[in-house]
Amino acid sequence: MVTFRYDLNQDVIELQASNWCGLEQVFVNGKRVSRKLNFGQNSEHNIQLNDGNPCRFQLLIDPTSEEMICRIYKSNCLITSIHQGKENLSKSRRTLQNLVIFTTLPGLLWLLLN
């Protein structure tokens, strides 16, 4: 899971993206305001903030650096561009792979012994 968090005026905005199942979620002040599945290289979420202004999130993967980038726009003006490096993505994938291996291994051993 990759998480981008940003404080925008009175709102705490968080975008969570799973690099395994494609689930993306946007939270404003802890409340989920957008959710979708995405298996492509980029996606977009459009929401309305508590002050009534539109807010857009662009999530993309830079093919040259393999960085995941989250761009946040408020009223069509770029507010910030947050980058997660290749190391963070690789670490997240390794953690999930290890979890899957260690949870399925006992079941396989049990099947082999019976």
Side-chain angles (χ1 to χ4, degrees):
M1 180 74 65
V2 178
T3 302
F4 297 95
R5 186 181 172 107
Y6 189 74
D7 293 329
L8 183 62
N9 298 334
Q10 301 92 357
D11 295 317
V12 176
I13 299 171
E14 185 173 316
L15 187 140
Q16 297 177 352
S18 171
N19 48 350
W20 280 92
C21 69
L23 178 64
E24 298 175 357
Q25 301 181 94
V26 177
F27 296 87
V28 176
N29 300 324
K31 180 182 176 189
R32 185 175 62 208
V33 294
S34 179
R35 179 175 78 170
K36 69 177 176 178
L37 289 176
N38 176 43
F39 297 103
Q41 292 291 320
N42 55 28
S43 71
E44 194 169 288
H45 294 262
N46 293 296
I47 65 166
Q48 190 170 11
L49 296 174
N50 293 333
D51 62 5
N53 287 314
C55 189
R56 180 174 44 143
F57 297 86
Q58 287 182 335
L59 190 61
L60 55 109
I61 297 176
D62 182 3
T64 57
S65 67
E66 295 187 25
E67 282 187 321
M68 186 173 276
I69 302 167
C70 177
R71 293 183 183 146
I72 302 174
Y73 296 84
K74 183 177 178 183
S75 300
N76 288 328
C77 294
L78 179 64
I79 300 297
T80 189
S81 182
I82 308 169
H83 298 249
Q84 289 269 349
K86 183 179 176 180
E87 293 175 11
N88 291 343
L89 295 174
S90 297
K91 183 179 177 183
S92 174
R93 285 184 179 145
R94 276 193 307 273
T95 302
L96 187 57
Q97 286 172 344
N98 290 338
L99 179 65
V100 169
I101 289 169
F102 289 120
T103 56
T104 58
L105 192 58
L108 291 173
L109 289 173
W110 183 79
L111 286 173
L112 289 172
L113 295 175
N114 285 333

